[in-house]
Amino acid sequence: MRTTVFTIANQKGGVGKTTTAVNLAAALAARKIPTLLVDLDPQANATSAIGVEKQQGKSLYDPLLGEGSATDMIVETPVKNLWLIPSEEDMAAAEIELAQTENYLARLRGVLQSIKDTGRFRVIILDCPPALGMLSMNGLGAADHLLIALQCEYMALEGLGQILRNVNRIKEAGINDALDLGGIVMTMYDVRTNLSRQVVDEVRKHLPEKVFDTVIPRTVRLSEAPSFGKTIFDYDPLSPGASAYKNLAKELITRFELIEPKETPTS
């Protein structure tokens, strides 16, 4: 099974990045796509949001520093077809310690290769910290495609340029020549304001082929779900947020051909 790695990143916090990582992963899993969610954020928000308790020693901290196996860190989640590599507070130290290792921006790429070699997962989704530090840069170095979660505010446009510049740095440094801007997910869309619509229009004007058609609404239900350790599909499956992430998953599947075509039987 071919494995496709998506990194979801934005150097700004509170933009719906982890919400997108968790619910997009769950939506893909609901389509029977074996999916692995990797929590790279020391705050471990993706871990708790999906209903998994943080455990000491269950993260990519040791594997990133050359100790232990990444496959041993994989745990089950309450969601069928979805697995998780949790995070923990020790991951904060990795930001400092990675800088002292050889090929420090390519460490995660090497760590994930052992998982990709198993052929167990069709999709790996990396949820990065809200900063473009060592862990996020490693996320870019390990990805096939970058997905940017961009909130519908004008200040977000400045951050978009910074992320794209870092993509170019990763490619120019030869760390990940194939890194592709897979798409931009517009989040926290408020139907009551002209601002949200104007920001979406502006981003689509500059990157028309990269912005997903689906926009993620600003809803209380999406904000509440993580505090109960549930995806939006378990917390409120009929909500606008659940519908949006289902549609986003459909777009992702189509854009990147995530469902393998069935072989045509020979006569």
Side-chain angles (χ1 to χ4, degrees), residues 51-95:
V52 175
E53 291 189 14
K54 290 184 283 187
Q55 304 174 52
Q56 185 70 27
K58 276 288 184 182
S59 72
L60 286 184
Y61 174 76
D62 285 334
L64 282 171
L65 298 175
E67 300 177 12
S69 169
T71 55
D72 293 338
M73 302 302 164
I74 298 172
V75 301
E76 293 185 347
T77 76
V79 180
K80 188 177 181 180
N81 298 318
L82 178 58
W83 289 262
L84 171 76
I85 293 182
S87 188
E88 57 173 333
E89 292 180 1
D90 283 355
M91 287 289 283
E95 288 280 5

Side-chain angles (χ1 to χ4, degrees), residues 27-240:
L28 292 172
R31 297 289 298 269
K32 299 182 180 179
I33 297 174
T35 302
L36 175 66
L37 176 64
V38 180
D39 191 351
L40 294 175
D41 189 348
Q43 297 179 70
N45 290 331
T47 299
S48 57
I50 209 162
V52 175
E53 291 189 14
K54 290 184 283 187
Q55 304 174 52
Q56 185 70 27
K58 276 288 184 182
S59 72
L60 286 184
Y61 174 76
D62 285 334
L64 282 171
L65 298 175
E67 300 177 12
S69 169
T71 55
D72 293 338
M73 302 302 164
I74 298 172
V75 301
E76 293 185 347
T77 76
V79 180
K80 188 177 181 180
N81 298 318
L82 178 58
W83 289 262
L84 171 76
I85 293 182
S87 188
E88 57 173 333
E89 292 180 1
D90 283 355
M91 287 289 283
E95 288 280 5
I96 301 170
E97 296 175 34
L98 276 172
Q100 302 167 21
T101 64
E102 189 177 355
N103 298 322
Y104 56 88
L105 291 181
R107 301 290 294 185
L108 180 59
R109 187 180 184 88
V111 163
L112 292 181
Q113 190 59 50
S114 62
I115 296 176
K116 293 171 72 174
D117 288 344
T118 67
R120 182 178 173 187
F121 302 104
R122 180 66 183 88
V123 171
I124 297 176
I125 292 180
L126 310 178
D127 182 39
C128 294
L132 290 176
M134 282 290 171
L135 291 172
S136 291
M137 293 298 282
N138 263 268
L140 295 180
D144 297 305
H145 308 287
L146 167 65
L147 303 180
I148 301 174
L150 198 69
Q151 79 276 33
C152 296
E153 299 175 4
Y154 269 119
M155 292 297 289
L157 299 177
E158 296 180 7
L160 177 60
Q162 185 177 352
I163 297 173
L164 296 179
R165 284 192 293 274
N166 277 283
V167 169
N168 290 331
R169 290 192 185 105
I170 289 286
K171 295 175 75 169
E172 290 169 0
I175 296 164
N176 186 357
D177 296 335
L179 179 61
D180 164 63
L181 174 56
I184 299 172
V185 182
M186 303 303 301
T187 62
M188 300 183 176
Y189 185 88
D190 191 338
V191 296
R192 301 168 299 178
T193 68
N194 290 328
L195 176 61
S196 285
R197 185 174 65 254
Q198 290 168 357
V199 171
V200 172
D201 290 344
E202 187 71 16
V203 178
R204 283 181 174 153
K205 184 173 75 174
H206 287 90
L207 295 163
E209 297 180 358
K210 295 299 183 181
V211 182
F212 288 100
D213 292 334
T214 302
V215 295
I216 308 301
R218 182 189 293 273
T219 72
V220 174
R221 306 302 272 175
L222 277 174
S223 301
E224 290 175 343
S227 64
F228 291 89
K230 294 182 177 181
T231 70
I232 190 60
F233 308 108
D234 290 323
Y235 184 65
D236 192 348
L238 300 180
S239 65

